[in-house]
């Protein structure tokens, strides 16, 4: 058997299907984010400065002075690594401190930190469901891959309910009956379309039909709520959700994932989840940096306000230029392309011609025919950046013959400055100049 040929053919198949992923070599400048140094492949290529428009470091907390200071201090004091699993090496104090901060953030008795949000979903869902007798998992059809893998790993029966369709969810809950153990798993904010779940209505159904709830808040923690606890805090339903899962790698600008729940649920996951027990713990520096970010965002609203302002401005300006923005109530700015090859070409042109980095989003992340550029403004982007972005995207759309829409104005808040709220793309450009 020609093993190498099998792997080569597998990669070639992805290339033929226009699904082969290429990673840009970027060197982020923490002090000047969203600027980064791009190093194109090839010895004859000169590094270039680019502007990042697709980072999940939504609030630019990765370079916040308090976070950098905490990371540096913890590294100097504790060293680079954690020394092993928590089961073998014990739990270093920065993780204990972080877990206290996260439990307090979500108003829960306890929290448990993992090496990533993907792992926290895999461990949390699979362990909780597997410990419940004859558990039925009810999963939203657009749940993230990590949640799907957690459902699979549990070995439990699952039923998929139509995205954000509470009537369909209720049908499935009725069929399951009051007595059967049921776990409803869903996200608060879906990162590809930017839509938000009807969390309160789902919590109502869970109470009515005696079900547990597990919510993924990874794209909302740090960004929503009075203290940055997410959509559940914003909507006043944190106490009605059994398990809240989040990440430290997006709004908090670090690395890792976690669950927050009652002490008994957290202890059960800690005691039974192999992906927690046998995995090296987060380093002290990462835990300290994440805790600093959580503490800061509990009391600072400035980053959230500026973040939302830039998201609204970006949607507004792109739509005013006739570009196909998918409107939604969140900070996600999806720009629809609808073709895998052209989506990759658009991304390449933006980078090579305009110095703008936006990664293409193709299948299997999104369905075939819904390929898009996913734009994520941050508090560090400016009105001038927005003007440059729109000008670049208009040029790329024209070059590739991609369809424009009828120019429209995605409304901004009434309290936005009039010059911004009423501007068209040319006016925005002139203002930036």
């Amino acid at each position: 058997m020609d093993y190498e040929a099998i792997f080569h053919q597998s990669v070639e198949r992805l290339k033929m299907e226009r699904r082969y992923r290429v990673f840009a070599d970027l060197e982020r400048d923490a002090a000047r984010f969203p600027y980064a140094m791009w190093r194109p492949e090839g010895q004859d290529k000169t590094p270039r400065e680019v502007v990042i428009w697709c980072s999940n470091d939504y609030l630019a907390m990765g370079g916040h002075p308090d976070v950098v200071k905490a990371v540096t201090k913890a590294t100097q004091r504790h060293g680079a690594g954690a020394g092993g699993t928590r089961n073998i090496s014990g739990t270093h104090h920065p993780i204990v401190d972080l877990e206290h901060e996260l439990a307090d953030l979500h108003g829960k008795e306890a929290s448990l930190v993992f090496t990533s949000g993907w792992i926290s979903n895999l461990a949390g869902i699979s362990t909780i469901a597997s410990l419940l007798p004859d558990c039925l998992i009810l999963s939203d059809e657009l749940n993230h891959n990590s949640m799907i893998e957690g459902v699979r790993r549990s070995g439990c029966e699952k039923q998929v309910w139509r995205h954000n369709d509470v009537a369909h969810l209720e049908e499935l809950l009725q069929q399951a009956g009051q007595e059967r153990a049921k776990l409803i798993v869903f996200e608060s904010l879906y990162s590809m379309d930017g839509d938000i779940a009807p969390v309160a209505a789902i919590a109502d159904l869970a109470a009515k039909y005696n079900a547990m709830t597990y919510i993924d808040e990874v794209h909302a923690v740090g960004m929503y709520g009075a203290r940055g606890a997410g959509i559940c805090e914003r909507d006043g339903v944190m106490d009605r959700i059994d398990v809240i899962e989040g990440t430290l790698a997006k709004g908090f600008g670090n690395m890792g994932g976690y669950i927050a729940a009652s002490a008994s649920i957290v202890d059960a996951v800690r005691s039974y989840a192999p992906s927690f027990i046998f995995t090296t713990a987060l380093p002290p520096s990462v835990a300290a940096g994440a805790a600093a970010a959580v503490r800061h965002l509990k009391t600072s609203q400035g980053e959230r306000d500026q973040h939302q302002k830039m998201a609204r401005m970006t949607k507004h300006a792109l739509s005013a230029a006739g570009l196909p923005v998918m409107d939604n109530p969140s900070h996600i700015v999806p720009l629809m392309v609808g073709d895998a090859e052209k989506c990759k070409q658009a991304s390449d042109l933006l980078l090579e011609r305009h110095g703008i980095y936006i990664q293409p989003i193709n299948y299997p992340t999104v369905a075939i025919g819904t390929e898009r550029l996913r734009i994520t403004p941050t508090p560090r982007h400016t009105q001038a950046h927005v003007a440059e972005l729109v000008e670049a995207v208009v040029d790329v759309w024209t070059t590739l013959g991609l369809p424009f829409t009828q120019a429209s104005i995605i409304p901004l808040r009434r309290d936005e400055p009039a010059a911004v709220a009423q501007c068209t793309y040319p006016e925005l450009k002139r203002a930036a100049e």
Side-chain angles (χ1 to χ4, degrees), residues 117-126 137-154 158 161 183-190 213-219 243 245:
W118 197 94
I119 292 295
S120 58
N121 269 334
L122 175 72
I125 294 172
S126 63
I137 301 177
L138 301 158
S139 177
D140 186 287
E141 67 177 335
L142 292 190
N143 276 343
H144 188 262
N145 169 267
S146 59
M147 304 182 80
I148 294 169
E149 291 300 322
V151 172
R152 286 176 179 166
R153 175 118 183 186
S154 72
K158 71 166 183 181
W161 49 290
L183 180 66
I184 304 171
V185 296
F186 63 108
E187 299 182 42
S188 64
L189 195 163
Y190 291 83
T213 47
Y214 180 109
I215 193 168
D216 176 315
E217 286 256 43
V218 298
H219 292 277
V243 184
E245 185 267 347

Side-chain angles (χ1 to χ4, degrees), residues 402-424:
L402 290 169
F404 287 80
T405 63
Q406 183 176 357
S408 62
I409 302 296
I410 292 178
L412 300 181
R413 288 189 342 198
R414 291 181 180 180
D415 60 351
E416 296 289 359
V420 173
Q422 297 173 6
C423 73
T424 61

Side-chain angles (χ1 to χ4, degrees), residues 117-413:
W118 197 94
I119 292 295
S120 58
N121 269 334
L122 175 72
I125 294 172
S126 63
T127 305
I128 291 166
S130 66
L131 291 175
L132 295 172
D134 189 30
C135 181
L136 172 65
I137 301 177
L138 301 158
S139 177
D140 186 287
E141 67 177 335
L142 292 190
N143 276 343
H144 188 262
N145 169 267
S146 59
M147 304 182 80
I148 294 169
E149 291 300 322
V151 172
R152 286 176 179 166
R153 175 118 183 186
S154 72
C156 298
E157 180 185 353
K158 71 166 183 181
Q159 291 183 335
V160 177
W161 49 290
R162 291 187 295 271
H163 178 53
N164 280 350
D165 187 338
V166 291
H168 186 215
L169 174 60
E170 184 164 20
E171 288 178 18
L172 299 178
L173 287 166
Q174 285 177 331
Q175 293 168 11
Q178 285 281 341
E179 299 307 315
R180 185 175 185 184
K182 299 172 291 294
L183 180 66
I184 304 171
V185 296
F186 63 108
E187 299 182 42
S188 64
L189 195 163
Y190 291 83
S191 65
M192 289 300 117
D193 292 349
D195 57 334
I196 293 174
V199 182
I202 294 170
D204 288 342
L205 290 178
K208 182 177 179 180
Y209 293 100
N210 191 29
M212 279 188 66
T213 47
Y214 180 109
I215 193 168
D216 176 315
E217 286 256 43
V218 298
H219 292 277
V221 289
M223 281 91 71
Y224 296 87
R227 299 201 306 159
I231 297 297
C232 290
E233 181 186 34
R234 187 198 71 174
D235 293 354
V237 294
M238 278 200 303
D239 61 331
R240 302 180 61 203
I241 301 297
D242 294 298
V243 184
I244 297 174
E245 185 267 347
T247 185
L248 304 168
K250 295 180 172 63
F252 297 126
N254 281 263
M255 178 183 176
Y258 64 90
I259 61 169
S262 68
S264 59
I265 291 174
V266 168
D267 199 21
V269 174
R270 182 191 68 85
S271 301
Y272 280 91
S275 48
F276 172 80
I277 295 169
F278 299 105
T279 300
T280 298
L282 285 181
S285 57
V286 174
V294 173
R295 278 193 294 269
H296 176 81
L297 290 172
K298 282 180 179 178
T299 59
S300 177
Q301 188 64 28
E303 291 85 358
R304 285 188 283 275
D305 288 344
Q306 182 64 14
H307 176 246
Q308 290 293 325
K309 176 183 175 181
M310 294 313 302
R312 290 190 298 270
M313 184 183 293
T314 304
K315 290 179 184 178
H316 174 87
L318 289 167
S319 63
L323 291 159
V325 180
M326 181 189 295
D327 193 19
N328 60 56
S330 76
H331 61 281
I332 305 295
V333 187
L335 193 57
M336 299 303 295
V337 178
D339 178 273
E341 187 167 2
K342 287 190 174 181
C343 194
K344 177 66 166 61
Q345 290 173 346
S347 174
D348 290 345
L349 274 175
L350 284 169
L351 185 59
E352 294 163 5
R353 185 183 290 182
H354 297 282
I356 289 175
Y357 176 66
I358 306 175
Q359 186 74 348
I361 306 294
N362 292 336
Y363 179 83
T365 306
V366 296
I368 293 173
T370 67
E371 294 83 2
R372 68 199 65 180
L373 299 177
R374 177 181 175 272
I375 299 168
T376 53
T378 73
R380 296 275 197 95
H381 287 94
T382 66
Q383 187 169 319
H385 287 138
V386 175
E388 292 163 0
L389 171 70
V390 176
E391 184 174 22
V393 176
V394 167
D395 173 66
V396 167
W397 246 242
T398 303
T399 300
L400 296 178
L402 290 169
F404 287 80
T405 63
Q406 183 176 357
S408 62
I409 302 296
I410 292 178
L412 300 181
R413 288 189 342 198

Side-chain angles (χ1 to χ4, degrees), residues 12-48:
E12 288 301 309
R13 185 164 60 251
L14 288 178
K15 292 180 179 179
M16 290 286 292
E17 296 170 358
R18 302 295 188 267
R19 295 198 290 125
Y20 181 72
R21 297 169 189 255
V22 178
F23 301 146
D25 182 350
L26 295 173
E27 183 179 334
R28 189 169 79 159
D29 187 333
R32 298 181 61 241
F33 182 80
Y35 292 100
M37 188 62 68
W38 172 46
R39 301 181 185 278
E41 291 186 2
Q43 294 182 351
D44 59 332
K45 300 291 182 67
T46 303
R48 289 177 52 194

Side-chain angles (χ1 to χ4, degrees), residues 86 91-101 287:
R86 293 168 73 172
T91 297
H92 57 71
H93 186 69
I95 279 190
V96 174
D97 183 45
L98 174 59
E99 288 176 341
H100 287 159
E101 289 288 349

